[in-house]
Amino acid sequence: MKRLVSPILLIAVLGTCTLFTGCGPEPKEAKATKYTSAARHKATMRSYKVLGKRYHPTYVEVGQVMNGISSWYGPNFHGKQTSNGEVYDMHARTAAHKTWPMDTMVKVKNLQNGKSTIVRINDRGPFVRGRIIDCSYKAGKEIGLDRMGIAKVSVEVVGFAGKIQSDATIARNKREHTQERVVLSNFGVQVGAFRRHAGAQTYQRKYTGVYGNYKPVIKRFSDVDGAALYRVWLMGFGSEQEARDFKDNNDLAGAFIVRN
């Protein structure tokens, strides 16, 4: 039986995006690289859902480290399109990560044999509990995954868009709090969600001009049944913290942080 939904305001609480804080320089805006266009960058930083779990692509900074399990993928995916629009080449040094920005350069070190390699993220995954990165066949072979299948690894950000920083540079920038960071999308605050477009338009008018430079926009989504859902977002925040402070300091019950 088809689910009936009231046309009144629907408020849903989603997980908020992660922001790595610090005293570093202002993050850079997304730009096209020789690998990935700015538009594709923006598209791949939207939250997405796989096997019932929602993932929120995050900011990263050079020197950041994540530990977990690595796997590899090869012939079954060779020649297919990756999340950033490239054709997957299992003989290139690339990898899939669930949330880190496209073209992030990372050093993957196999903690079980000490071998390491540097890869460029150009895909999303792996969607298996406990695994943090999926290396290409070439990269996996270089650290022994072709024999082991999976292994405990450390994954360190060493640069962006093909540019790799040395260990000495990374260490110095960490000491001086000048690590390079990347911003790939704009933050906002969701203030309402409606089944009917007219309801969303009413809410948009309600918030127009109320909060200065923060502009209400309507975003159309589809729910699990394929029915339209119109979300009203206040946009124009320069950082997650700015959006969070705004939400906390205003009477916006049920509002939550979003990323465009």
Side-chain angles (χ1 to χ4, degrees), residues 132-170:
I132 61 171
I133 196 167
D134 224 355
C135 291
S136 66
Y137 170 75
K138 181 179 181 69
K141 186 177 179 66
E142 289 178 338
I143 62 174
L145 292 179
D146 59 324
R147 295 176 177 273
M148 304 171 68
I150 60 174
K152 295 179 180 179
V153 298
S154 66
V155 180
E156 180 184 11
V157 178
V158 295
F160 300 103
K163 297 180 180 179
I164 301 169
Q165 295 184 16
S166 67
D167 291 343
T169 298
I170 293 173

Side-chain angles (χ1 to χ4, degrees), residues 83-185:
S83 294
N84 77 336
E86 294 180 42
V87 174
Y88 173 63
D89 180 0
M90 70 180 194
H91 302 296
R93 291 184 180 90
T94 59
H97 193 283
K98 288 189 283 289
T99 57
W100 282 0
M102 294 295 157
D103 300 331
T104 300
M105 308 299 295
V106 300
K107 179 188 290 185
V108 185
K109 182 177 181 180
N110 187 332
L111 299 178
Q112 296 175 231
N113 62 17
K115 295 181 178 180
S116 64
T117 188
I118 293 177
V119 299
R120 177 176 56 85
I121 294 172
N122 72 340
D123 206 359
R124 290 296 181 220
F127 303 109
V128 177
R129 182 182 294 275
R131 298 185 189 181
I132 61 171
I133 196 167
D134 224 355
C135 291
S136 66
Y137 170 75
K138 181 179 181 69
K141 186 177 179 66
E142 289 178 338
I143 62 174
L145 292 179
D146 59 324
R147 295 176 177 273
M148 304 171 68
I150 60 174
K152 295 179 180 179
V153 298
S154 66
V155 180
E156 180 184 11
V157 178
V158 295
F160 300 103
K163 297 180 180 179
I164 301 169
Q165 295 184 16
S166 67
D167 291 343
T169 298
I170 293 173
R172 184 187 69 244
N173 290 342
K174 276 187 172 182
R175 290 193 302 271
E176 298 174 355
H177 301 292
T178 57
Q179 302 99 310
E180 184 181 3
R181 301 171 67 205
V182 173
V183 170
L184 297 177
S185 55

Side-chain angles (χ1 to χ4, degrees), residues 1-12:
M1 181 174 67
K2 186 172 180 64
R3 196 157 44 93
L4 297 178
V5 181
S6 169
I8 62 173
L9 174 66
L10 302 170
I11 295 295

Side-chain angles (χ1 to χ4, degrees), residues 47-55 98 124-128:
S47 66
Y48 61 98
K49 197 172 185 180
V50 174
L51 301 178
K53 183 174 182 179
R54 182 162 292 280
Y55 296 94
K98 288 189 283 289
R124 290 296 181 220
F127 303 109
V128 177

